[in-house]
Amino acid sequence: TESQVWFRFIRQYVWPSDLCADLTLPWAPGLDLASALYIAAAAALFALAFIVRRIAPVLAFGVCWYFVALGPTHTIVPLSEPASEHRVYVALIGVVFVSLAALRHLVDRRHVLQPIVWGLLTVAVAASIWASRQRAQVWRDDVSLWGSVLQCAPNNGRAHLNYGRGLWGQGDLQ
């Protein structure tokens, strides 16, 4: 399950949709084909990072940072929730390093692409600012946060409890 979560977090970095602060994912009963493929993909990324470590140290550092930062909570002994949104933020610094290394490579190598890259980067930064503001609205208080979790994970017991506690704190006893 956690091997799939590693790549779910990367996908959400690239395209931040399907966000859930406390997503309830079913645990894989054992090593299935999907998990094995994700583990192989992670191993391939590590191998690539090792191979390019001298010519692209920032990229290699970013790959290692991502997986090492997720290691304590998303490997063999994970926490009770497999894909909590707040656990990925420190790890995503590694993905930012990889993105910046790739962007630098594009700008340094192909001068003709510089205006396109800078235009896309401007659009991406503006979209990130907008999306971050939207996400901050979800995290503003217990009622909005846990209410959003109930929309994406309606069977999440922790969400029901914390949503109820948030409503109670606001004086809504019904």
Side-chain angles (χ1 to χ4, degrees), residues 143-144 160-174:
V143 173
S144 63
H160 283 280
L161 174 67
N162 288 326
Y163 183 68
R165 291 176 69 181
L167 289 172
W168 184 19
Q170 291 181 352
D172 185 354
L173 301 179
Q174 288 187 358

Side-chain angles (χ1 to χ4, degrees), residues 8 13 24 54 85 94 99 119-120 128 139 145 158 167 170:
R8 174 186 171 80
Y13 169 78
T24 306
R54 295 198 194 278
E85 182 181 296
S99 300
L120 290 174
S128 293
W139 283 78
L145 173 65
R158 181 177 29 251
L167 289 172
Q170 291 181 352

